[in-house]
Amino acid sequence: MTMSVIWTAMAVLSVLCGLATGRGEQVAAAAVEGAGAAVELCLGIAGMLCLWMGVMEVMRRSGLADGLSRMLSPVLRLIFPKAARDRETMDCICANVSANLLGLGNAATPLGIQAAQRMSRSSPGRANDELCMLVVCNTASIQLIPTTVATVRAAAGSQTPFDILPAVWLASSLSVGVGICVCKLLSRVWRD
C-alpha cells in the first residue's frame, strides 16, 4: 500500500513538474518510452527465468539436484542441528539452499516457506534460533550462478552478463558467513 502511494505520488509530481516547466510533451514521450522498455525487460527476464527453471527441473529429474542436496547435507546438519532430526525438514532446507546456490530464488522461496513452517512447529508463536538462521541464510544466500542478476543484465543489453561471478561469489559468501556468525553469537547472548 505504501509503495503504491509513493509511486503514484512520484508519477503525479513528474507530470506536474513537466507541465509547470513547459516540458509536458517530453514527459509524455519519456513515459511511453519507459513503458515500452519495461515490457521488453519483463519479457527478457521471463524468458531467461523459464530457461533456468527448465534447467533446474532437468537437474531435479536427473538426480543432480538430489546429489547437490546430499553434498550440502553434512554442512547444513551442523548449522541446523535440531532440524536435522526431521528428515522432511532437512530435505526442504537442502533443496532450498540448492536452489539458492543456482540463483533460483523464485524456486527456492516455496521450499524455504515449507521448511520454515515445519521448523516453527517446535516453537509456535515464536521464531526459534534455527528458524532465524534459515531466514538469514535465505536472505544472504550464496549463489554460484546468479541467474536473476545475469538475466537482468542480459535484458538490459550486457554482452557479458556473467562477468560479475567473482564479485557475486565473494559478496554472497561473506554475507552468509557473517550472517551465520552473528546468528550463532546472538543465540548464545539471548538464551532462554
Side-chain angles (χ1 to χ4, degrees), residues 1-13:
M1 175 67 185
T2 303
M3 290 306 294
S4 298
V5 171
I6 291 171
W7 286 111
T8 303
M10 285 175 47
V12 169
L13 189 62

Side-chain angles (χ1 to χ4, degrees), residues 14-82:
S14 298
V15 170
L16 291 176
C17 286
L19 292 173
T21 59
R23 296 182 177 173
E25 295 168 8
Q26 291 172 332
V27 170
V32 170
E33 183 181 326
V39 169
E40 286 179 32
L41 180 64
C42 287
L43 289 175
I45 290 173
M48 288 296 284
L49 282 176
C50 288
L51 169 74
W52 285 104
M53 294 298 281
V55 168
M56 184 66 176
E57 183 64 19
V58 168
M59 287 181 67
R60 187 185 66 77
R61 289 187 184 188
S62 69
L64 288 174
D66 289 336
L68 182 58
S69 292
R70 278 192 300 276
M71 279 183 12
L72 295 171
S73 185
V75 174
L76 293 175
R77 287 182 194 283
L78 292 173
I79 297 172
F80 302 102
K82 291 178 186 169

Side-chain angles (χ1 to χ4, degrees), residues 56-127:
M56 184 66 176
E57 183 64 19
V58 168
M59 287 181 67
R60 187 185 66 77
R61 289 187 184 188
S62 69
L64 288 174
D66 289 336
L68 182 58
S69 292
R70 278 192 300 276
M71 279 183 12
L72 295 171
S73 185
V75 174
L76 293 175
R77 287 182 194 283
L78 292 173
I79 297 172
F80 302 102
K82 291 178 186 169
R85 296 179 196 143
D86 181 9
R87 180 170 171 79
E88 288 183 38
T89 302
M90 206 61 205
D91 287 346
C92 289
I93 293 171
C94 288
N96 172 269
V97 171
S98 297
N100 275 327
L101 277 172
L102 298 173
L104 302 171
N106 296 338
T109 300
L111 297 165
I113 291 171
Q114 189 176 4
Q117 287 172 337
R118 295 187 63 79
M119 292 170 83
S120 68
R121 291 179 188 164
S122 64
S123 60
R126 178 177 168 267

Side-chain angles (χ1 to χ4, degrees), residues 180-192:
I180 289 171
C181 289
V182 168
C183 276
K184 292 289 186 182
L185 176 71
L186 292 178
S187 71
R188 290 181 183 183
V189 170
W190 282 294
R191 287 195 182 264
D192 287 336

Side-chain angles (χ1 to χ4, degrees), residues 162-171:
F162 283 102
D163 66 351
I164 57 169
L165 286 178
V168 168
W169 294 337
L170 178 65

